[in-house]
Amino acid sequence: MGPPGAGKGTQAKFIADHFSIPAISTGDIFRANVSQGTPLGVEAKRYMDAGEYVPDEVTNRMVSNRIVESDAEHGFLLDGYPRTLAQVEELDGMIKQTGHQLDAVVVLTVDSEEIVQRLLQRAEIEGRADDTEDVIRRRQEVYAEQTHPLIEVYKARGLVHEVDGLGEVDDVTKRIFASLSETSES
Ligand code: AMP
């Protein structure tokens, strides 16, 4: 978890590689559907372009179909999901069905102004349609309102690893692994 632009996607790939599990990014799946012009992509695009969340029902169905694929049988890392309380509850139900359990929730903490600057830079490089300044700020707001509160929910379950997300990519990765191994050794 972490606000848009905290570096979740980059770190997700490192963690997933380390544990030989797939990194499942809802944002990536939506973007792939958008570029293929599927009905899901057409629906998701209008929310994404505005910086709003795609409705829970659509997102939940997509994740539930993805985690039953064979590569996820021995575990998976979710990047960008869950983002709402309804998604937390839905995920609990899904993994009960598949027989998985939630081992850890990694939260990348970053300063929000620093993030906005990072995202503006990325928008220039990648030309993402959802990366105009207004949309970037809206995405931060939506995160603060709808997703940030989930950290408390997972803290109450003792699952949260809060990691400083600022600095070099490698340093952040090291912090994540250090934090994750602290729990597994205790
Ligand atoms: P991301 O690349 O993770 O920042 O996701 C890009 C966009 O996809 C978000 O701004 C949302 O519009 C949509 N999206 C991704 N994950 C979710 C989710 N779990 N719930 C609702 N919308 C999502």
Side-chain angles (χ1 to χ4, degrees):
M1 293 180 64
K8 292 190 297 291
T10 306
Q11 297 299 335
K13 288 187 185 74
F14 291 133
I15 303 172
D17 279 355
H18 177 85
F19 291 108
S20 303
I21 52 173
I24 300 173
S25 157
T26 43
D28 282 353
I29 303 175
F30 283 133
R31 277 185 289 277
N33 277 276
V34 170
S35 57
Q36 288 159 20
T38 68
L40 174 70
V42 172
E43 177 163 19
K45 190 176 187 313
R46 37 193 192 110
Y47 297 99
M48 295 168 78
D49 286 353
E52 304 293 336
Y53 285 165
V54 177
D56 286 332
E57 210 185 279
V58 176
T59 310
N60 288 333
R61 200 177 333 121
M62 188 176 84
V63 173
S64 118
N65 289 334
R66 176 63 186 88
I67 67 170
V68 295
E69 283 180 33
S70 59
D71 65 337
E73 195 182 333
H74 300 296
F76 48 85
L77 180 147
L78 294 166
D79 162 18
Y81 182 92
R83 268 170 144 116
T84 65
L85 200 52
Q87 292 180 13
V88 169
E89 285 164 9
E90 196 67 23
L91 177 62
D92 287 339
M94 277 180 217
I95 60 177
K96 209 168 170 190
Q97 292 273 323
T98 57
H100 291 102
Q101 69 175 37
L102 214 48
D103 297 317
V105 175
V106 176
V107 177
L108 294 178
T109 58
V110 275
D111 173 75
S112 92
E113 196 46 43
E114 165 93 25
I115 276 192
V116 170
Q117 294 311 319
R118 252 200 223 182
L119 287 171
L120 287 171
Q121 228 178 353
R122 185 174 78 180
E124 227 172 276
I125 298 164
E126 295 179 8
R128 281 175 51 155
D130 59 350
D131 274 359
T132 64
E133 185 157 2
D134 282 354
V135 173
I136 285 169
R137 296 210 183 266
R138 179 64 193 145
R139 291 167 78 214
Q140 299 295 326
E141 249 172 47
V142 171
Y143 176 84
E145 284 164 13
Q146 299 199 46
T147 306
H148 191 264
L150 307 189
I151 297 172
E152 285 307 314
V153 173
Y154 284 128
K155 267 191 184 162
R157 299 190 196 179
L159 291 174
V160 170
H161 294 258
E162 248 166 337
V163 173
D164 180 1
L166 282 185
E168 295 297 321
V169 169
D170 277 3
D171 292 334
V172 178
T173 309
K174 282 182 197 141
R175 283 176 217 144
I176 293 172
F177 285 127
S179 179
L180 288 174
S181 61
E182 268 167 29
T183 328
S184 54
E185 280 161 16
S186 60

Short mmCIF file of all heavy atoms in Angstrom, two decimals, residues 35-94:
data_model
loop_
_atom_site.label_atom_id
_atom_site.label_comp_id
_atom_site.label_asym_id
_atom_site.label_seq_id
_atom_site.Cartn_x
_atom_site.Cartn_y
_atom_site.Cartn_z
N SER A 35 -5.87 -0.67 -23.18
CA SER A 35 -5.17 -0.64 -24.47
C SER A 35 -5.69 -1.68 -25.43
O SER A 35 -5.60 -1.51 -26.65
CB SER A 35 -3.64 -0.70 -24.30
OG SER A 35 -3.29 -1.83 -23.60
N GLN A 36 -6.30 -2.77 -24.91
CA GLN A 36 -6.90 -3.77 -25.81
C GLN A 36 -8.33 -3.42 -26.19
O GLN A 36 -8.96 -4.12 -26.96
CB GLN A 36 -6.86 -5.15 -25.15
CG GLN A 36 -5.46 -5.75 -25.08
CD GLN A 36 -5.34 -6.83 -24.01
OE1 GLN A 36 -6.34 -7.41 -23.57
NE2 GLN A 36 -4.13 -7.12 -23.59
N GLY A 37 -8.86 -2.37 -25.56
CA GLY A 37 -10.23 -1.94 -25.87
C GLY A 37 -11.30 -2.93 -25.45
O GLY A 37 -12.37 -3.00 -26.06
N THR A 38 -11.06 -3.71 -24.40
CA THR A 38 -12.09 -4.66 -23.93
C THR A 38 -13.22 -3.88 -23.24
O THR A 38 -13.02 -2.74 -22.82
CB THR A 38 -11.49 -5.64 -22.90
OG1 THR A 38 -11.17 -4.90 -21.71
CG2 THR A 38 -10.24 -6.35 -23.43
N PRO A 39 -14.39 -4.53 -23.06
CA PRO A 39 -15.49 -3.85 -22.34
C PRO A 39 -15.05 -3.39 -20.93
O PRO A 39 -15.39 -2.30 -20.49
CB PRO A 39 -16.58 -4.91 -22.26
CG PRO A 39 -16.30 -5.84 -23.40
CD PRO A 39 -14.81 -5.84 -23.58
N LEU A 40 -14.26 -4.24 -20.25
CA LEU A 40 -13.74 -3.86 -18.92
C LEU A 40 -12.88 -2.59 -19.03
O LEU A 40 -13.00 -1.68 -18.20
CB LEU A 40 -12.91 -5.01 -18.33
CG LEU A 40 -12.19 -4.73 -17.01
CD1 LEU A 40 -13.17 -4.59 -15.86
CD2 LEU A 40 -11.18 -5.83 -16.70
N GLY A 41 -12.05 -2.56 -20.06
CA GLY A 41 -11.18 -1.40 -20.26
C GLY A 41 -11.97 -0.13 -20.54
O GLY A 41 -11.66 0.94 -20.01
N VAL A 42 -13.00 -0.28 -21.36
CA VAL A 42 -13.84 0.88 -21.69
C VAL A 42 -14.49 1.43 -20.43
O VAL A 42 -14.52 2.64 -20.19
CB VAL A 42 -14.92 0.50 -22.75
CG1 VAL A 42 -15.92 1.63 -22.95
CG2 VAL A 42 -14.25 0.12 -24.07
N GLU A 43 -14.98 0.52 -19.58
CA GLU A 43 -15.63 0.97 -18.35
C GLU A 43 -14.62 1.60 -17.38
O GLU A 43 -14.86 2.66 -16.81
CB GLU A 43 -16.36 -0.19 -17.65
CG GLU A 43 -16.95 0.30 -16.35
CD GLU A 43 -18.03 -0.58 -15.75
OE1 GLU A 43 -18.11 -1.77 -16.12
OE2 GLU A 43 -18.76 -0.06 -14.89
N ALA A 44 -13.47 0.92 -17.23
CA ALA A 44 -12.47 1.39 -16.26
C ALA A 44 -11.89 2.75 -16.65
O ALA A 44 -11.62 3.59 -15.79
CB ALA A 44 -11.34 0.36 -16.13
N LYS A 45 -11.73 2.96 -17.95
CA LYS A 45 -11.02 4.15 -18.43
C LYS A 45 -11.61 5.46 -17.93
O LYS A 45 -10.90 6.38 -17.54
CB LYS A 45 -10.97 4.15 -19.96
CG LYS A 45 -10.03 5.22 -20.53
CD LYS A 45 -9.93 5.12 -22.04
CE LYS A 45 -8.89 6.05 -22.64
NZ LYS A 45 -8.90 7.42 -22.18
N ARG A 46 -12.96 5.52 -17.90
CA ARG A 46 -13.54 6.82 -17.51
C ARG A 46 -13.24 7.15 -16.06
O ARG A 46 -13.09 8.31 -15.70
CB ARG A 46 -15.03 6.91 -17.81
CG ARG A 46 -15.80 5.66 -17.60
CD ARG A 46 -17.19 5.75 -18.21
NE ARG A 46 -17.96 4.62 -17.71
CZ ARG A 46 -18.97 4.71 -16.86
NH1 ARG A 46 -19.36 5.88 -16.41
NH2 ARG A 46 -19.60 3.63 -16.45
N TYR A 47 -13.13 6.14 -15.23
CA TYR A 47 -12.77 6.40 -13.82
C TYR A 47 -11.29 6.74 -13.71
O TYR A 47 -10.91 7.68 -13.02
CB TYR A 47 -13.09 5.17 -12.96
CG TYR A 47 -14.56 4.84 -12.94
CD1 TYR A 47 -15.07 3.84 -13.75
CD2 TYR A 47 -15.44 5.54 -12.11
CE1 TYR A 47 -16.43 3.53 -13.74
CE2 TYR A 47 -16.79 5.25 -12.10
CZ TYR A 47 -17.29 4.24 -12.92
OH TYR A 47 -18.62 3.95 -12.91
N MET A 48 -10.48 5.94 -14.37
CA MET A 48 -9.03 6.13 -14.28
C MET A 48 -8.61 7.52 -14.76
O MET A 48 -7.81 8.19 -14.13
CB MET A 48 -8.30 5.07 -15.10
CG MET A 48 -8.51 3.67 -14.56
SD MET A 48 -7.97 2.41 -15.71
CE MET A 48 -6.20 2.48 -15.46
N ASP A 49 -9.19 7.94 -15.88
CA ASP A 49 -8.83 9.24 -16.45
C ASP A 49 -9.20 10.39 -15.52
O ASP A 49 -8.61 11.46 -15.58
CB ASP A 49 -9.49 9.45 -17.82
CG ASP A 49 -8.82 8.61 -18.90
OD1 ASP A 49 -7.78 7.99 -18.60
OD2 ASP A 49 -9.33 8.56 -20.03
N ALA A 50 -10.18 10.15 -14.65
CA ALA A 50 -10.61 11.20 -13.72
C ALA A 50 -9.90 11.09 -12.38
O ALA A 50 -10.11 11.92 -11.49
CB ALA A 50 -12.12 11.13 -13.53
N GLY A 51 -9.10 10.04 -12.20
CA GLY A 51 -8.41 9.85 -10.93
C GLY A 51 -9.28 9.21 -9.87
O GLY A 51 -8.95 9.20 -8.69
N GLU A 52 -10.44 8.67 -10.30
CA GLU A 52 -11.37 8.03 -9.35
C GLU A 52 -11.13 6.52 -9.35
O GLU A 52 -10.52 5.99 -10.27
CB GLU A 52 -12.82 8.30 -9.77
CG GLU A 52 -13.19 9.76 -9.92
CD GLU A 52 -13.16 10.54 -8.61
OE1 GLU A 52 -13.31 9.92 -7.55
OE2 GLU A 52 -12.97 11.78 -8.67
N TYR A 53 -11.65 5.85 -8.34
CA TYR A 53 -11.55 4.41 -8.30
C TYR A 53 -12.59 3.76 -9.21
O TYR A 53 -13.73 4.25 -9.30
CB TYR A 53 -11.74 3.88 -6.87
CG TYR A 53 -10.55 4.13 -5.97
CD1 TYR A 53 -10.67 4.01 -4.59
CD2 TYR A 53 -9.31 4.45 -6.49
CE1 TYR A 53 -9.57 4.23 -3.76
CE2 TYR A 53 -8.22 4.67 -5.67
CZ TYR A 53 -8.35 4.56 -4.30
OH TYR A 53 -7.28 4.76 -3.49
N VAL A 54 -12.20 2.69 -9.83
CA VAL A 54 -13.12 1.85 -10.60
C VAL A 54 -14.05 1.20 -9.55
O VAL A 54 -13.60 0.87 -8.44
CB VAL A 54 -12.32 0.77 -11.38
CG1 VAL A 54 -13.25 -0.16 -12.14
CG2 VAL A 54 -11.32 1.45 -12.33
N PRO A 55 -15.36 1.04 -9.86
CA PRO A 55 -16.27 0.49 -8.85
C PRO A 55 -15.79 -0.85 -8.27
O PRO A 55 -15.22 -1.68 -8.99
CB PRO A 55 -17.59 0.32 -9.62
CG PRO A 55 -17.51 1.32 -10.72
CD PRO A 55 -16.05 1.42 -11.09
N ASP A 56 -16.04 -1.02 -6.98
CA ASP A 56 -15.60 -2.22 -6.27
C ASP A 56 -16.00 -3.51 -6.96
O ASP A 56 -15.21 -4.44 -7.07
CB ASP A 56 -16.19 -2.23 -4.85
CG ASP A 56 -15.49 -1.23 -3.94
OD1 ASP A 56 -14.29 -0.93 -4.17
OD2 ASP A 56 -16.13 -0.75 -2.99
N GLU A 57 -17.25 -3.54 -7.41
CA GLU A 57 -17.77 -4.76 -8.01
C GLU A 57 -16.92 -5.22 -9.19
O GLU A 57 -16.59 -6.40 -9.32
CB GLU A 57 -19.19 -4.45 -8.49
CG GLU A 57 -20.12 -5.63 -8.47
CD GLU A 57 -21.44 -5.20 -9.10
OE1 GLU A 57 -22.24 -4.58 -8.39
OE2 GLU A 57 -21.61 -5.46 -10.31
N VAL A 58 -16.57 -4.26 -10.03
CA VAL A 58 -15.76 -4.55 -11.22
C VAL A 58 -14.36 -5.01 -10.80
O VAL A 58 -13.83 -6.02 -11.29
CB VAL A 58 -15.64 -3.27 -12.10
CG1 VAL A 58 -14.75 -3.50 -13.29
CG2 VAL A 58 -17.02 -2.77 -12.51
N THR A 59 -13.78 -4.26 -9.88
CA THR A 59 -12.41 -4.56 -9.44
C THR A 59 -12.35 -5.90 -8.72
O THR A 59 -11.45 -6.71 -8.98
CB THR A 59 -11.92 -3.42 -8.52
OG1 THR A 59 -12.16 -2.17 -9.15
CG2 THR A 59 -10.45 -3.56 -8.22
N ASN A 60 -13.29 -6.13 -7.83
CA ASN A 60 -13.29 -7.37 -7.07
C ASN A 60 -13.40 -8.60 -7.98
O ASN A 60 -12.69 -9.60 -7.79
CB ASN A 60 -14.46 -7.39 -6.07
CG ASN A 60 -14.24 -6.44 -4.91
OD1 ASN A 60 -13.08 -6.15 -4.55
ND2 ASN A 60 -15.31 -5.96 -4.31
N ARG A 61 -14.29 -8.50 -8.96
CA ARG A 61 -14.48 -9.64 -9.87
C ARG A 61 -13.18 -9.94 -10.62
O ARG A 61 -12.78 -11.09 -10.78
CB ARG A 61 -15.63 -9.33 -10.85
CG ARG A 61 -16.21 -10.59 -11.46
CD ARG A 61 -17.39 -10.31 -12.40
NE ARG A 61 -18.13 -9.10 -12.08
CZ ARG A 61 -18.30 -8.07 -12.92
NH1 ARG A 61 -17.77 -8.10 -14.12
NH2 ARG A 61 -19.00 -7.02 -12.56
N MET A 62 -12.52 -8.87 -11.03
CA MET A 62 -11.27 -9.02 -11.78
C MET A 62 -10.20 -9.71 -10.93
O MET A 62 -9.52 -10.63 -11.39
CB MET A 62 -10.82 -7.62 -12.20
CG MET A 62 -9.68 -7.59 -13.13
SD MET A 62 -9.37 -5.88 -13.61
CE MET A 62 -8.37 -5.31 -12.24
N VAL A 63 -10.07 -9.29 -9.68
CA VAL A 63 -9.06 -9.88 -8.79
C VAL A 63 -9.42 -11.33 -8.48
O VAL A 63 -8.57 -12.21 -8.50
CB VAL A 63 -8.91 -9.06 -7.48
CG1 VAL A 63 -7.99 -9.77 -6.50
CG2 VAL A 63 -8.38 -7.66 -7.78
N SER A 64 -10.69 -11.56 -8.24
CA SER A 64 -11.08 -12.92 -7.88
C SER A 64 -10.83 -13.89 -9.04
O SER A 64 -10.43 -15.03 -8.83
CB SER A 64 -12.50 -12.91 -7.34
OG SER A 64 -13.35 -13.67 -8.10
N ASN A 65 -10.99 -13.42 -10.27
CA ASN A 65 -10.66 -14.27 -11.43
C ASN A 65 -9.16 -14.47 -11.59
O ASN A 65 -8.71 -15.51 -12.04
CB ASN A 65 -11.20 -13.64 -12.72
CG ASN A 65 -12.70 -13.71 -12.81
OD1 ASN A 65 -13.32 -14.60 -12.21
ND2 ASN A 65 -13.31 -12.77 -13.51
N ARG A 66 -8.41 -13.44 -11.21
CA ARG A 66 -6.95 -13.51 -11.42
C ARG A 66 -6.26 -14.44 -10.41
O ARG A 66 -5.34 -15.17 -10.77
CB ARG A 66 -6.36 -12.09 -11.34
CG ARG A 66 -4.83 -12.01 -11.45
CD ARG A 66 -4.33 -12.52 -12.81
NE ARG A 66 -2.88 -12.59 -12.88
CZ ARG A 66 -2.15 -13.65 -12.51
NH1 ARG A 66 -2.75 -14.74 -12.02
NH2 ARG A 66 -0.84 -13.63 -12.62
N ILE A 67 -6.71 -14.39 -9.15
CA ILE A 67 -5.97 -15.15 -8.12
C ILE A 67 -6.23 -16.66 -8.18
O ILE A 67 -5.56 -17.41 -7.48
CB ILE A 67 -6.19 -14.61 -6.69
CG1 ILE A 67 -7.63 -14.80 -6.21
CG2 ILE A 67 -5.74 -13.16 -6.58
CD1 ILE A 67 -7.81 -14.49 -4.72
N VAL A 68 -7.19 -17.06 -8.99
CA VAL A 68 -7.39 -18.51 -9.13
C VAL A 68 -6.59 -19.09 -10.30
O VAL A 68 -6.62 -20.29 -10.55
CB VAL A 68 -8.89 -18.89 -9.28
CG1 VAL A 68 -9.65 -18.56 -8.01
CG2 VAL A 68 -9.53 -18.20 -10.49
N GLU A 69 -5.85 -18.25 -10.99
CA GLU A 69 -4.99 -18.77 -12.07
C GLU A 69 -3.85 -19.57 -11.47
O GLU A 69 -3.45 -19.35 -10.33
CB GLU A 69 -4.48 -17.61 -12.94
CG GLU A 69 -5.57 -17.11 -13.89
CD GLU A 69 -5.12 -15.97 -14.79
OE1 GLU A 69 -3.93 -15.95 -15.16
OE2 GLU A 69 -5.96 -15.12 -15.11
N SER A 70 -3.31 -20.51 -12.27
CA SER A 70 -2.38 -21.49 -11.71
C SER A 70 -1.09 -20.88 -11.14
O SER A 70 -0.55 -21.36 -10.15
CB SER A 70 -2.05 -22.57 -12.74
OG SER A 70 -1.48 -21.95 -13.86
N ASP A 71 -0.63 -19.78 -11.73
CA ASP A 71 0.62 -19.20 -11.23
C ASP A 71 0.48 -18.61 -9.83
O ASP A 71 1.48 -18.33 -9.16
CB ASP A 71 1.16 -18.14 -12.21
CG ASP A 71 0.24 -16.93 -12.33
OD1 ASP A 71 -0.97 -17.06 -12.05
OD2 ASP A 71 0.73 -15.85 -12.70
N ALA A 72 -0.75 -18.41 -9.39
CA ALA A 72 -0.98 -17.81 -8.06
C ALA A 72 -1.26 -18.86 -6.99
O ALA A 72 -1.50 -18.51 -5.83
CB ALA A 72 -2.14 -16.82 -8.14
N GLU A 73 -1.18 -20.11 -7.40
CA GLU A 73 -1.56 -21.18 -6.47
C GLU A 73 -0.74 -21.15 -5.18
O GLU A 73 -1.26 -21.34 -4.10
CB GLU A 73 -1.38 -22.52 -7.19
CG GLU A 73 -2.05 -23.66 -6.48
CD GLU A 73 -1.81 -25.00 -7.17
OE1 GLU A 73 -1.59 -24.99 -8.41
OE2 GLU A 73 -1.83 -26.03 -6.47
N HIS A 74 0.56 -20.87 -5.31
CA HIS A 74 1.42 -20.90 -4.11
C HIS A 74 1.66 -19.52 -3.52
O HIS A 74 2.62 -19.30 -2.79
CB HIS A 74 2.75 -21.59 -4.43
CG HIS A 74 2.55 -23.00 -4.90
ND1 HIS A 74 2.02 -23.98 -4.10
CD2 HIS A 74 2.75 -23.57 -6.11
CE1 HIS A 74 1.93 -25.10 -4.77
NE2 HIS A 74 2.36 -24.88 -6.01
N GLY A 75 0.79 -18.61 -3.86
CA GLY A 75 0.90 -17.27 -3.28
C GLY A 75 0.99 -16.19 -4.34
O GLY A 75 1.24 -16.47 -5.51
N PHE A 76 0.76 -14.98 -3.91
CA PHE A 76 0.78 -13.84 -4.84
C PHE A 76 0.94 -12.56 -4.04
O PHE A 76 0.70 -12.54 -2.84
CB PHE A 76 -0.52 -13.79 -5.66
CG PHE A 76 -1.76 -13.94 -4.84
CD1 PHE A 76 -2.35 -12.84 -4.22
CD2 PHE A 76 -2.35 -15.20 -4.67
CE1 PHE A 76 -3.49 -12.99 -3.45
CE2 PHE A 76 -3.49 -15.36 -3.89
CZ PHE A 76 -4.06 -14.25 -3.29
N LEU A 77 1.37 -11.54 -4.74
CA LEU A 77 1.49 -10.22 -4.14
C LEU A 77 0.51 -9.30 -4.85
O LEU A 77 0.47 -9.26 -6.08
CB LEU A 77 2.91 -9.70 -4.30
CG LEU A 77 3.17 -8.32 -3.71
CD1 LEU A 77 4.60 -8.25 -3.20
CD2 LEU A 77 2.95 -7.22 -4.73
N LEU A 78 -0.30 -8.60 -4.08
CA LEU A 78 -1.25 -7.67 -4.67
C LEU A 78 -0.69 -6.26 -4.63
O LEU A 78 -0.25 -5.80 -3.57
CB LEU A 78 -2.59 -7.73 -3.91
CG LEU A 78 -3.33 -9.06 -4.03
CD1 LEU A 78 -4.44 -9.14 -3.00
CD2 LEU A 78 -3.89 -9.24 -5.44
N ASP A 79 -0.69 -5.62 -5.77
CA ASP A 79 -0.19 -4.24 -5.88
C ASP A 79 -1.36 -3.34 -6.27
O ASP A 79 -1.88 -3.45 -7.37
CB ASP A 79 0.93 -4.22 -6.94
CG ASP A 79 1.25 -2.83 -7.45
OD1 ASP A 79 0.89 -1.83 -6.81
OD2 ASP A 79 1.88 -2.76 -8.54
N GLY A 80 -1.77 -2.51 -5.34
CA GLY A 80 -2.88 -1.59 -5.65
C GLY A 80 -4.25 -2.15 -5.33
O GLY A 80 -5.27 -1.63 -5.79
N TYR A 81 -4.28 -3.19 -4.54
CA TYR A 81 -5.54 -3.82 -4.12
C TYR A 81 -5.29 -4.47 -2.77
O TYR A 81 -4.25 -5.11 -2.62
CB TYR A 81 -5.98 -4.86 -5.14
CG TYR A 81 -7.30 -5.52 -4.80
CD1 TYR A 81 -8.50 -5.03 -5.28
CD2 TYR A 81 -7.33 -6.65 -3.97
CE1 TYR A 81 -9.70 -5.63 -4.94
CE2 TYR A 81 -8.53 -7.25 -3.64
CZ TYR A 81 -9.72 -6.75 -4.13
OH TYR A 81 -10.91 -7.33 -3.81
N PRO A 82 -6.16 -4.37 -1.79
CA PRO A 82 -7.42 -3.62 -1.78
C PRO A 82 -7.20 -2.13 -1.54
O PRO A 82 -6.21 -1.72 -0.96
CB PRO A 82 -8.16 -4.24 -0.59
CG PRO A 82 -7.09 -4.72 0.34
CD PRO A 82 -5.95 -5.12 -0.54
N ARG A 83 -8.14 -1.33 -2.01
CA ARG A 83 -8.07 0.12 -1.87
C ARG A 83 -9.28 0.70 -1.15
O ARG A 83 -9.32 1.89 -0.89
CB ARG A 83 -8.00 0.77 -3.25
CG ARG A 83 -6.58 1.00 -3.77
CD ARG A 83 -6.69 1.39 -5.23
NE ARG A 83 -5.73 2.36 -5.65
CZ ARG A 83 -4.78 2.12 -6.57
NH1 ARG A 83 -4.65 0.94 -7.12
NH2 ARG A 83 -3.96 3.08 -6.92
N THR A 84 -10.28 -0.12 -0.89
CA THR A 84 -11.47 0.35 -0.14
C THR A 84 -11.80 -0.71 0.91
O THR A 84 -11.35 -1.87 0.80
CB THR A 84 -12.70 0.50 -1.06
OG1 THR A 84 -13.06 -0.81 -1.56
CG2 THR A 84 -12.44 1.43 -2.24
N LEU A 85 -12.60 -0.28 1.88
CA LEU A 85 -12.99 -1.22 2.93
C LEU A 85 -13.76 -2.40 2.34
O LEU A 85 -13.57 -3.55 2.76
CB LEU A 85 -13.84 -0.48 3.97
CG LEU A 85 -13.93 -1.15 5.33
CD1 LEU A 85 -12.55 -1.47 5.90
CD2 LEU A 85 -14.70 -0.25 6.30
N ALA A 86 -14.62 -2.11 1.37
CA ALA A 86 -15.38 -3.19 0.73
C ALA A 86 -14.43 -4.19 0.05
O ALA A 86 -14.68 -5.40 0.06
CB ALA A 86 -16.35 -2.62 -0.30
N GLN A 87 -13.33 -3.69 -0.50
CA GLN A 87 -12.35 -4.60 -1.14
C GLN A 87 -11.62 -5.44 -0.10
O GLN A 87 -11.29 -6.60 -0.35
CB GLN A 87 -11.36 -3.79 -1.99
CG GLN A 87 -12.01 -3.16 -3.22
CD GLN A 87 -11.05 -2.35 -4.07
OE1 GLN A 87 -9.83 -2.42 -3.91
NE2 GLN A 87 -11.59 -1.58 -5.00
N VAL A 88 -11.37 -4.85 1.07
CA VAL A 88 -10.72 -5.62 2.15
C VAL A 88 -11.60 -6.82 2.51
O VAL A 88 -11.13 -7.96 2.60
CB VAL A 88 -10.51 -4.74 3.41
CG1 VAL A 88 -10.11 -5.60 4.61
CG2 VAL A 88 -9.47 -3.67 3.16
N GLU A 89 -12.88 -6.54 2.66
CA GLU A 89 -13.80 -7.61 3.04
C GLU A 89 -13.92 -8.66 1.95
O GLU A 89 -13.93 -9.86 2.21
CB GLU A 89 -15.17 -7.01 3.38
CG GLU A 89 -15.14 -6.32 4.74
CD GLU A 89 -16.30 -5.38 4.98
OE1 GLU A 89 -17.26 -5.36 4.18
OE2 GLU A 89 -16.23 -4.63 5.99
N GLU A 90 -13.98 -8.18 0.73
CA GLU A 90 -14.09 -9.10 -0.40
C GLU A 90 -12.83 -9.98 -0.50
O GLU A 90 -12.93 -11.19 -0.71
CB GLU A 90 -14.27 -8.28 -1.68
CG GLU A 90 -14.77 -9.05 -2.86
CD GLU A 90 -16.19 -9.56 -2.71
OE1 GLU A 90 -16.97 -8.98 -1.91
OE2 GLU A 90 -16.52 -10.55 -3.41
N LEU A 91 -11.68 -9.36 -0.30
CA LEU A 91 -10.43 -10.13 -0.36
C LEU A 91 -10.40 -11.21 0.72
O LEU A 91 -9.97 -12.34 0.47
CB LEU A 91 -9.22 -9.19 -0.22
CG LEU A 91 -7.84 -9.88 -0.19
CD1 LEU A 91 -7.56 -10.63 -1.50
CD2 LEU A 91 -6.72 -8.87 0.08
N ASP A 92 -10.85 -10.85 1.92
CA ASP A 92 -10.91 -11.84 2.99
C ASP A 92 -11.71 -13.07 2.55
O ASP A 92 -11.29 -14.21 2.78
CB ASP A 92 -11.56 -11.24 4.25
CG ASP A 92 -10.66 -10.24 4.96
OD1 ASP A 92 -9.43 -10.29 4.74
OD2 ASP A 92 -11.18 -9.41 5.74
N GLY A 93 -12.84 -12.80 1.93
CA GLY A 93 -13.70 -13.89 1.46
C GLY A 93 -13.04 -14.71 0.36
O GLY A 93 -13.07 -15.95 0.38
N MET A 94 -12.39 -14.00 -0.56
CA MET A 94 -11.75 -14.67 -1.70
C MET A 94 -10.66 -15.63 -1.25
O MET A 94 -10.56 -16.75 -1.73
CB MET A 94 -11.04 -13.64 -2.58
CG MET A 94 -11.87 -12.92 -3.56
SD MET A 94 -10.73 -11.78 -4.41
CE MET A 94 -11.79 -10.39 -4.61
#
